[in-house]
Amino acid sequence: MLPIMRSVMQTILRKLVRNSYLKRIAAYSKKSAPFLGVFVVAGIAVVVALAALFTNKPFDPKKPDVYEDQLFRAIVDIDLNLQEPDIPDRLCTISDFGASRFSASDVTRAIEAAIASCAEAGGGKVVIPAGDWEAYPFALADHIELFLEEGARLSFGDDVRHYGEPILWRFEGVRMQMTPPLISCVGCRDVAIRGKGVIRGNAALWEPYAEREEWWFRVLYGESEEREDIEERTVLQLPEDSFRPEVIGFSRSTNVAIEDITVEDAPRSGIRILMSYDVALRDIAVSTNAFEGDAIVLDSSDGVLVKNVSLASSQGEGISLQAGLNAEGHGMDEHPLQRIRLEDVRITRARYGIAVDRAMSAGMNRIVVDGADVSDAEHALAVHVPEDVYGEVEYAVFSDIRGTEISGESLVSFDVAYDDPLINSLRRKRASTTFESIYFSNIGNGTEGVFDFRNLDHSGVHASRIFVGTKSVTAEK
């Protein structure tokens, strides 16, 4: 923790020096409030004293940070301290609540009845027995585990009229009222989805809705940038209009576990973890062939472990890291993405294996990728931030990333003024974007073509302390 505190103090001082705040404050105090100078000097003295305490030597903004190795280790060794969800030892099997394999509506009612029965008793395990089951979307509850037995296949039906009322969700970094995930939980605590079964999302049903997503996104992004209240934004109502839903989605939930299951045929993305805390995704397989579909989206959440997962996303990302787009993430609802660990990730097909998404305006910090094997992708890791997007990515470590059958020019693509036709066509005034304390270790096989860094010196971008091994790729300031 001390190396991170040292770095924070150094960052404060660097920004004071870099933006000439000291001179501005001094000029203002001399002209408008002479007595303010005493407090300014005292405050600066405290900051400098704390910096000296944490760094053990005076801060020199012209020299690189001498604590890079300690900071690297402090980030890598972050302990998420995740707890097992509190699920009582109680079984509610859907066949005991009237589930019939001949009716999706009956199965849905049985699942909802089993969840309600367990929840009213304090929680428990809702069991999907082996066999083929078809249902429509449903929501979990506190202290509920959805358990799919080995051999269980839960698919979703063909009638969009049964896909529920719109709920508050997020699409490409913008909040809106839209079709809920097929399995969802909003504001839940101690909840899990486990078992050796398969969940299928019925992607073919939703293909026609993909055509209008970009048009609706432009409308809702404009409403977001005008800071309209969520309740006043356009509502997408089935069956006429909708964004394609995720298969599994948790929002504003705490202590969540998704383990052992397989998710297939996602209409768009497989799993989204949105504004949630203390989440573990272990030993799962997720695949989607949908246009712009991501296997896993980690969105504005705090404390997430993704470990030993197998992912495929032929037209999207294996794992997309997000934190709100522009006004949505910067000022309206500031939920950074932080304390994230990705370990032993296998991505066999994707546009980008792991991506820092353009929706990053609430900020990302303490991100660790420790072991990723990516094949059949344009890039194994992509940090692509368009010119008209602002935010921060700080304190991140990417290590032990391998790639085979990489079609792009580099294994790692790092472009902080990326040419994104959609976002750049919706131009908004850009604030500063910061990329700081980012470390790459043991990437690829050491040959040429591993890294491609672009636009680090672009106007409006502050990039510092970006290291490949022990070598800095930024001009330290």
Side-chain angles (χ1 to χ4, degrees):
M1 180 58 70
L2 281 178
I4 292 179
M5 295 177 72
R6 296 182 190 120
S7 183
V8 169
M9 296 307 305
Q10 291 172 344
T11 299
I12 291 172
L13 287 176
R14 264 195 304 276
K15 290 181 178 180
L16 285 171
V17 172
R18 183 169 66 242
N19 295 306
S20 301
Y21 289 145
L22 303 184
K23 293 180 181 179
R24 297 179 191 176
I25 294 171
Y28 173 81
S29 63
K30 181 178 180 181
K31 178 179 179 181
S32 305
F35 65 87
L36 182 62
V38 175
F39 296 100
V40 170
V41 172
I44 293 172
V46 170
V47 172
V48 172
L50 287 172
L53 173 64
F54 289 126
T55 62
N56 299 320
K57 63 166 56 181
F59 172 75
D60 184 347
K62 296 183 180 180
K63 292 182 179 180
D65 193 332
V66 298
Y67 295 96
E68 300 303 337
D69 183 62
Q70 294 96 319
L71 181 59
F72 175 94
R73 293 312 323 165
I75 297 170
V76 170
D77 294 338
I78 288 173
D79 184 4
L80 299 181
N81 194 30
L82 301 178
Q83 304 296 316
E84 282 290 308
D86 180 15
I87 310 292
D89 187 15
R90 181 180 293 107
L91 298 181
C92 297
T93 303
I94 63 169
S95 53
D96 295 336
F97 290 83
S100 166
R101 292 179 184 162
F102 304 104
S103 170
S105 296
D106 286 348
V107 172
T108 307
R109 283 191 289 268
I111 292 173
E112 291 174 338
I115 291 171
S117 178
C118 264
E120 288 171 5
K125 182 184 294 186
V126 173
V127 179
I128 309 290
D132 292 327
W133 307 90
E134 186 176 284
Y136 287 105
F138 57 89
L140 302 178
D142 292 352
H143 304 288
I144 293 295
E145 174 182 333
L146 180 68
F147 182 82
L148 290 89
E149 290 184 346
E150 187 169 5
R153 290 169 57 88
L154 178 63
S155 302
F156 286 83
D158 290 325
D159 191 341
V160 295
R161 294 174 298 177
H162 295 300
Y163 273 76
E165 295 298 317
I167 67 168
L168 178 61
W169 205 246
R170 191 138 81 175
F171 178 89
E172 294 292 343
V174 177
R175 288 175 301 167
M176 61 195 68
Q177 301 282 344
M178 62 172 278
T179 302
L182 309 184
I183 302 174
S184 65
C185 208
V186 177
C188 294
R189 176 177 290 275
D190 294 303
V191 62
I193 301 176
R194 293 181 171 127
K196 300 292 186 180
V198 177
I199 302 172
R200 293 184 56 82
N202 197 353
L205 176 68
W206 296 95
E207 286 180 1
Y209 291 90
E211 298 177 359
R212 286 174 57 81
E213 281 182 344
E214 181 177 321
W215 189 88
W216 277 119
F217 172 75
R218 289 173 179 270
V219 171
L220 288 155
Y221 177 67
E223 293 175 353
S224 169
E225 289 297 293
E226 296 301 325
R227 299 181 181 271
E228 291 188 20
D229 292 338
I230 300 297
E231 293 76 13
E232 297 177 1
R233 296 182 189 176
T234 301
V235 177
L236 302 185
Q237 185 72 53
L238 285 170
E240 289 79 13
D241 286 295
S242 176
F243 290 109
R244 293 165 292 161
E246 274 104 16
V247 177
I248 297 173
F250 288 91
S251 174
R252 301 181 187 274
S253 297
T254 303
N255 215 17
V256 175
I258 303 176
E259 298 173 331
D260 299 320
I261 63 167
T262 296
V263 176
E264 299 176 345
D265 200 31
R268 185 175 168 96
S269 297
I271 298 173
R272 181 180 296 267
I273 305 300
L274 173 62
M275 296 182 186
S276 294
Y277 301 86
D278 300 334
V279 179
L281 282 65
R282 298 187 183 96
D283 307 314
I284 63 175
V286 184
S287 64
T288 175
N289 293 317
F291 175 67
E292 296 287 348
D294 306 322
I296 295 175
V297 181
L298 305 182
D299 192 347
S300 292
S301 293
D302 184 349
V304 181
L305 172 66
V306 179
K307 185 172 183 177
N308 191 30
V309 299
S310 297
L311 311 174
S313 175
S314 61
Q315 302 185 68
E317 279 68 81
I319 298 177
S320 178
L321 305 179
Q322 302 183 11
L325 180 59
N326 287 349
E328 187 74 22
H330 195 80
M332 289 184 63
D333 199 357
E334 296 186 28
H335 286 259
L337 182 71
Q338 59 188 11
R339 297 194 309 125
I340 306 298
R341 292 189 67 91
L342 312 180
E343 301 179 9
D344 302 324
V345 175
R346 296 173 300 282
I347 301 170
T348 56
R349 186 180 71 255
R351 177 173 53 195
Y352 308 140
I354 300 169
V356 173
D357 194 87
R358 61 194 179 194
M360 46 79 75
S361 298
M364 302 181 186
N365 66 82
R366 288 170 288 172
I367 310 295
V368 176
V369 178
D370 187 10
D373 288 301
V374 180
S375 63
D376 192 12
E378 185 176 343
H379 303 291
L381 171 65
V383 180
H384 285 173
V385 179
E387 182 177 357
D388 292 285
V389 170
Y390 50 86
E392 302 85 27
V393 178
E394 301 176 302
Y395 311 122
V397 171
F398 302 97
S399 68
D400 292 304
I401 297 176
R402 300 287 183 272
T404 57
E405 298 182 64
I406 300 300
S407 62
E409 295 180 357
S410 60
L411 191 71
V412 175
S413 177
F414 197 109
D415 189 346
V416 295
Y418 181 67
D419 183 15
D420 186 318
L422 174 59
I423 296 301
N424 291 344
S425 69
L426 304 171
R427 290 195 177 275
R428 296 291 189 272
K429 184 178 180 180
R430 176 179 181 168
S432 62
T433 305
T434 298
F435 300 87
E436 189 165 300
S437 298
I438 299 174
Y439 304 86
F440 297 91
S441 173
N442 198 22
I443 306 296
N445 56 10
T447 61
E448 294 295 324
V450 173
F451 294 95
D452 182 12
F453 292 97
R454 299 189 183 187
N455 297 308
L456 296 182
D457 58 352
H458 191 275
S459 175
V461 172
H462 171 65
S464 69
R465 293 191 297 168
I466 300 178
F467 284 81
V468 174
T470 60
K471 180 182 179 181
S472 174
V473 299
T474 52
E476 307 305 336
K477 301 178 182 179

